[in-house]
């Protein structure tokens, strides 16, 4: 990491592989849950109601108009017919990455069916956010499933 990052703010990387986020989650996920067949099928059939979101409110410090525009372009850029679906904002801690992502998500929330904020402070927090996604999408089934199964279901659904 360089001091340039502190001087110029968050940088955004384009990810060509749309499973990047899931791969990161996979690294943090330590359980070895096997989902029952009916749960696997449900993960493919279940669609989120438009507007489904757990987005926390954005703090009152937008600015960063250029970065927001850049992020938008990065996430909607079309190459060879494929839409880029992932992007990474990176830079020093405290530089405003999370805040930028939060403002982006609020600004464009109408463009997405579901927006889910996953707290990646620790593997445990990631699992809590994923389990909460399952509890929102399939509340009845989630009530009968353990936490590890809920996490596995959310990963399956996202995949
Ligand atoms: N554009 C901005 N203007 C003013 N303060 C900001 C801005 N972006 C972030 N902050 C503040 O800076 C602090 C760190 O921001 P945060 O997004 O958590 O950084 P990071 O995710 O890069 O560690 C927070 O208190 C946040 O409210
Ligand atoms: Mg952050």
């Amino acid at each position: 990491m360089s001091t340039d990052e502190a001087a110029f703010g968050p940088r955004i990387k384009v990810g060509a592989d749309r499973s990047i986020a899931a791969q990161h989650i996979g690294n943090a996920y330590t359980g070895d849950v096997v989902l029952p067949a009916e749960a696997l099928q449900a993960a493919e059939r279940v669609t989120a109601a438009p507007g489904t979101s757990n987005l926390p409110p954005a703090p009152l410090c937008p600015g960063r108009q250029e970065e927001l525009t850049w992020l938008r372009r990065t996430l909607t850029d079309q190459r060879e017919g494929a839409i880029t679906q992932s992007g990474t904002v990176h830079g020093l801690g405290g530089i405003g990455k999370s805040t930028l992502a939060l403002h982006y998500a609020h600004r464009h929330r109408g463009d997405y069916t579901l927006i889910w904020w996953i707290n990646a402070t620790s593997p445990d927090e990631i699992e809590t956010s994923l389990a909460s996604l399952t509890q929102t999408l399939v509340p009845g089934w989630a009530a009968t499933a353990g936490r590890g199964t809920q996490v596995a279901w959310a990963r399956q659904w996202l995949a």
Side-chain angles (χ1 to χ4, degrees):
M1 246 177 258
S2 72
T3 50
D4 284 354
E5 286 173 348
F8 298 114
R11 302 292 182 78
I12 295 143
K13 264 190 195 163
V14 180
D17 177 354
R18 73 188 194 91
S19 68
I20 279 180
Q23 283 164 2
H24 285 181
I25 291 162
N27 289 340
Y29 176 67
T30 52
D32 202 16
V33 173
V34 178
L35 284 172
E38 66 271 18
L40 276 174
Q41 285 156 14
E44 284 173 19
R45 279 198 316 269
V46 169
T47 51
T52 304
S53 169
N54 69 340
L55 210 53
L60 281 176
C61 52
R64 304 243 198 252
Q65 292 307 310
E66 271 180 39
E67 287 92 340
L68 283 167
T69 304
W70 184 16
L71 193 49
R72 181 64 182 165
R73 219 172 29 240
T74 298
L75 291 171
T76 55
D77 192 17
Q78 298 204 15
R79 282 178 212 179
E80 293 168 19
I83 300 173
T84 300
Q85 297 189 359
S86 65
T88 308
V89 183
H90 65 109
L92 296 173
I95 208 171
K97 301 180 295 296
S98 298
T99 305
L100 179 67
L102 202 47
H103 275 279
Y104 174 86
H106 276 283
R107 176 181 285 196
H108 298 288
R109 63 191 307 166
D111 299 332
Y112 297 91
T113 304
L114 173 135
I115 299 184
W116 209 252
W117 189 257
I118 295 175
N119 182 345
T121 312
S122 66
D124 188 61
E125 291 285 357
I126 293 174
E127 293 196 354
T128 299
S129 299
L130 289 174
S132 155
L133 175 60
T134 299
Q135 289 154 21
T136 299
L137 291 178
V138 281
W141 180 76
T144 70
R147 177 181 156 100
T149 309
Q150 292 179 8
V151 171
W153 192 90
R155 294 181 68 217
Q156 185 69 31
W157 188 82
L158 289 167

